Amino acid sequence: SQTIHQWPATLVQPVGSPLSLECTVEGTSNPNLYWYRQAAGRGLQLLFYSVGIGQISSEVPQNLSASRPQDRQFILSSKKLLLSDSGFYLCAFQTGRNTEAFFGQGTRLTVV
Amino acid sequence: GQQVMQIPQYQHVQEGEDFTTYCNSSTTLSNIQWYKQRPGGHPVFLIQLVKSGEVKKQKRLTFQFGEAKKNSSLHITATQTTDVGTYFCAAGTGGGNKLTFGTGTQLKVEL
């Protein structure tokens, strides 16, 4: 069966520190992968999406970056975190176009 | 660019009352999906609509896709406390058909 793993569940980081959030998918090949960010009580902001290894599309200019080193691995990074980077980060995948999206459990990031 | 708007942003109802959230797109959609996110949780897929004018039901939930495929609605009959959460519509947009979510409607149900 298809599963998605995202970690860590919670993270508290100081301003200016680096960030690395990892997401892995099992049970499918060549998934579409997504990173979303959700501020408290708000909607889902699409940050990055990828349709294949090394193919990353950025939706919002910011100090975050994403990489897809393997087919089913998606990493969200930052060299220096800002207070405004706090939020709930969600990784998701689709098995193809116009299919349902499956979400990871999310990472609640607090930058202090 | 493509925008998918939802109204209302918030809705408080008494248990047993009905609830409706509306999703509107600036362009014609090939399909639309609906998700539910419980407080503190992650979005979970509910349904996908593909055909113009399509109506689908899941128990007390009724989903509708507009004739012009630019809008959709989710209606809950006789809300229960288990319906609490945020409801999102989502659609594939752009050349890469990336999944873009609506702004969401947060539903609170009071006893």
Side-chain angles (χ1 to χ4, degrees):
Chain A
S1 63
Q2 301 157 357
T3 57
I4 179 169
H5 303 279
Q6 182 183 346
W7 65 93
T10 59
L11 192 59
V12 180
Q13 292 285 102
V15 169
S17 64
L19 173 73
S20 181
L21 300 180
E22 187 165 344
C23 171
T24 60
V25 176
E26 296 177 355
T28 187
S29 298
N30 198 31
N32 293 341
L33 294 170
Y34 298 84
W35 279 111
Y36 293 90
R37 177 170 61 198
Q38 186 175 35
R42 305 294 294 276
L44 296 166
Q45 180 187 32
L46 178 60
L47 301 176
F48 301 95
Y49 77 103
S50 171
V51 297
I53 295 176
Q55 300 178 58
I56 310 291
S57 295
S58 174
E59 294 298 303
V60 181
Q62 59 214 331
N63 70 321
L64 298 172
S65 62
S67 62
R68 185 171 178 172
Q70 300 180 42
D71 180 44
R72 290 170 287 181
Q73 184 183 28
F74 207 23
I75 298 172
L76 182 69
S77 304
S78 173
K79 293 182 179 179
K80 289 184 178 181
L81 285 169
L82 307 173
L83 287 174
S84 58
D85 291 324
S86 293
F88 190 44
Y89 288 82
L90 288 155
C91 181
F93 79 93
Q94 289 175 300
T95 57
R97 289 166 60 103
N98 299 322
T99 61
E100 70 177 276
F102 296 90
F103 282 81
Q105 297 296 312
T107 296
R108 200 162 302 279
L109 171 66
T110 304
V111 183
V112 297
Chain B
Q2 170 79 43
Q3 287 194 354
V4 182
M5 304 299 293
Q6 272 183 263
I7 54 171
Q9 187 175 1
Y10 302 100
Q11 185 79 58
H12 289 208
V13 300
Q14 296 291 319
E15 188 178 42
E17 293 181 339
D18 293 356
F19 159 77
T20 304
T21 173
Y22 301 90
C23 182
N24 297 290
S25 168
S26 56
T27 61
T28 302
L29 303 171
S30 59
N31 65 82
I32 196 153
Q33 300 176 356
W34 285 92
Y35 292 77
K36 176 183 178 181
Q37 183 179 23
R38 294 182 184 274
H42 58 278
V44 175
F45 175 82
L46 293 175
I47 209 161
Q48 176 167 279
L49 304 172
V50 179
K51 300 177 182 177
S52 170
E54 187 171 14
V55 178
K56 287 187 176 180
K57 293 189 176 184
Q58 288 180 351
K59 296 183 180 178
R60 294 179 293 105
L61 277 61
T62 302
F63 304 85
Q64 187 166 3
F65 203 7
E67 292 292 339
K69 300 182 76 172
K70 286 187 176 183
N71 56 73
S72 181
S73 64
L74 158 59
H75 179 82
I76 302 178
T77 303
T79 54
Q80 299 176 358
T81 54
T82 53
D83 296 324
V84 166
T86 302
Y87 293 84
F88 293 97
C89 60
T93 63
N97 215 52
K98 60 183 183 291
L99 192 62
T100 300
F101 280 77
T103 46
T105 296
Q106 187 175 343
L107 172 65
K108 292 189 176 181
V109 181
E110 299 172 354
L111 292 172

